[in-house]
Amino acid sequence: MNTCKIVEPSEQRSYSRYPCHLPVKITTKSGECDGVAVSISLGGMLVEKTEFFVDYIVKLRFRIPTMTSDIETSAYTCWYDENAVGMRFGTLLADEVLGLNQFFDEINERHQPEGLPK
């Protein structure tokens, strides 16, 4: 029985999402595969659809530019469609949250329109 429910991504978001292009290692009961996160928040990430079987609980490993080590966390499949999988992070460590917030600040600075105060 499939325990996943297909819903609109906007119905599930609790945190601001930021665009990214981050390689992600996904581990499921079925094995490992590589994916690409196309948006990220403190609560989770959107991963372009890969060839893995959508399990409810997976392990994620990825690195953001503001950290020197990988973030490794469990994640829960919140929704999926033919193009992507929405994943909610399990527990993040304090230094991982700090690194993510620094990464988000860098993204905001890159997308700041010219002439507006930073």
Side-chain angles (χ1 to χ4, degrees):
M1 180 172 124
N2 186 348
T3 60
C4 296
K5 176 178 136 184
I6 299 176
V7 296
E8 290 298 315
S10 59
E11 294 176 28
Q12 296 296 312
R13 293 186 185 150
S14 298
Y15 299 95
S16 296
R17 292 212 172 249
Y18 298 86
C20 65
H21 185 86
L22 299 171
V24 181
K25 179 72 75 182
I26 303 162
T27 305
T28 71
K29 290 182 274 187
S30 307
E32 279 191 350
C33 67
D34 296 316
V36 176
V38 294
S39 72
I40 190 169
S41 74
L42 284 178
M45 64 174 41
L46 178 66
V47 179
E48 287 182 333
K49 193 69 170 216
T50 63
E51 295 300 317
F52 78 93
F53 175 79
V54 178
D55 283 340
Y56 181 63
I57 299 174
V58 300
K59 296 254 187 225
L60 300 176
R61 188 175 76 227
F62 60 97
R63 181 168 302 176
I64 55 176
T66 54
M67 294 187 67
T68 57
S69 60
D70 292 346
I71 293 175
E72 294 186 49
T73 186
S74 60
Y76 306 91
T77 302
C78 295
W79 65 270
Y80 64 94
D81 64 20
E82 65 277 358
N83 300 312
V85 179
M87 306 233 178
R88 181 171 39 99
F89 295 143
T91 303
L92 293 172
L93 300 174
D95 63 328
E96 294 168 339
V97 172
L98 178 63
L100 282 165
N101 279 319
Q102 290 170 341
F103 181 49
F104 301 153
D105 287 345
E106 288 182 5
I107 292 170
N108 282 334
E109 287 178 12
R110 283 196 303 267
H111 291 95
Q112 183 75 23
E114 291 266 334
L116 291 179
K118 292 186 179 185

